[in-house]
Amino acid sequence: MRKKRAFAAFLLAGILLIASADCTGRHPGQKESGEAEATRGASADTAGAFAADFTLRDQYGTYHRLSDKRGKPVLLVFWATWCPDCMEELPDIEELYRTYQRTGEDMIILGVNTPHREPETDVDGITAFMEKNNYTFPTLMDEDGRVFDAYQIRTYPTAYFIDSDGRIKDRVKDVIHLEEMKRRMQHG
């Protein structure tokens, strides 16, 4: 009888862990540095620092170097095709991207995805996902995961707001909607 109770408790704990899973990209029990304080805003170790430079190719085959974007504010959004929170945010990113294209405002919006990183698909799968959903904003393919590591991505979606001098202004590790994106970009 004791074995059955122990097994039932173990099974229940496993189910609760699975049910608590979100888009963190980490095990549910794994702690994250900075915890709650860093979750929604700029953390002490990123605000004001220069954004790590990189060069990556987007879904159209165009290469983007972050340092070449200096002089313009940048919204850098790390996301995944399997993340429900990202699915909530992506339409707003697309709308913001199209608005800035239409108005000619000097603001850059870049998505970043990491093909092949479990459980993400490959470049073709990400591109097909974007085409199917009519997402046209450039999404950079971080195929070796170095950019994700440099930006310490542990939660999806994560957005970095980078000012026109190339410094990190803010980091949001949660879903962010259109009006808030606009507000944060305008103050960059």
Side-chain angles (χ1 to χ4, degrees), residues 112-138:
V112 184
N113 199 308
T114 184
H116 308 293
R117 189 172 264 193
E118 206 171 316
E120 189 57 270
T121 184
D122 59 11
V123 172
D124 291 338
I126 294 165
T127 301
F129 170 86
M130 294 192 73
E131 288 173 359
K132 176 183 172 193
N133 291 288
N134 297 313
Y135 296 138
T136 60
F137 62 91

Side-chain angles (χ1 to χ4, degrees), residues 149-169:
D149 292 342
Y151 282 83
Q152 301 175 10
I153 302 304
R154 306 288 183 268
T155 302
Y156 302 100
T158 295
Y160 277 85
F161 293 85
I162 302 168
D163 68 19
S164 58
D165 294 328
R167 291 184 182 272
I168 296 171
K169 189 176 94 171

Side-chain angles (χ1 to χ4, degrees), residues 4-24:
K4 285 183 179 180
R5 282 187 188 158
F7 179 74
F10 178 75
L11 186 59
L12 180 60
I15 291 169
L16 289 174
L17 279 174
I18 291 170
S20 70
D22 58 8
C23 295
T24 59

Side-chain angles (χ1 to χ4, degrees), residues 73-134:
V74 175
L75 170 57
L76 194 61
V77 180
F78 293 85
W79 67 279
T81 61
W82 53 266
C83 167
D85 291 341
C86 300
M87 298 311 104
E88 181 180 336
E89 184 177 80
L90 289 174
D92 288 345
I93 295 168
E94 180 64 22
E95 186 173 339
L96 187 65
Y97 175 72
R98 288 182 187 207
T99 297
Y100 288 155
Q101 277 195 317
R102 195 173 44 253
T103 63
E105 290 184 63
D106 283 343
M107 298 190 187
I108 307 295
I109 298 173
L110 299 171
V112 184
N113 199 308
T114 184
H116 308 293
R117 189 172 264 193
E118 206 171 316
E120 189 57 270
T121 184
D122 59 11
V123 172
D124 291 338
I126 294 165
T127 301
F129 170 86
M130 294 192 73
E131 288 173 359
K132 176 183 172 193
N133 291 288
N134 297 313

Side-chain angles (χ1 to χ4, degrees), residues 23-40:
C23 295
T24 59
R26 65 183 192 276
H27 302 293
Q30 181 181 349
K31 295 221 181 217
E32 187 170 356
S33 63
E35 277 304 332
E37 206 167 15
T39 324
R40 295 201 180 260

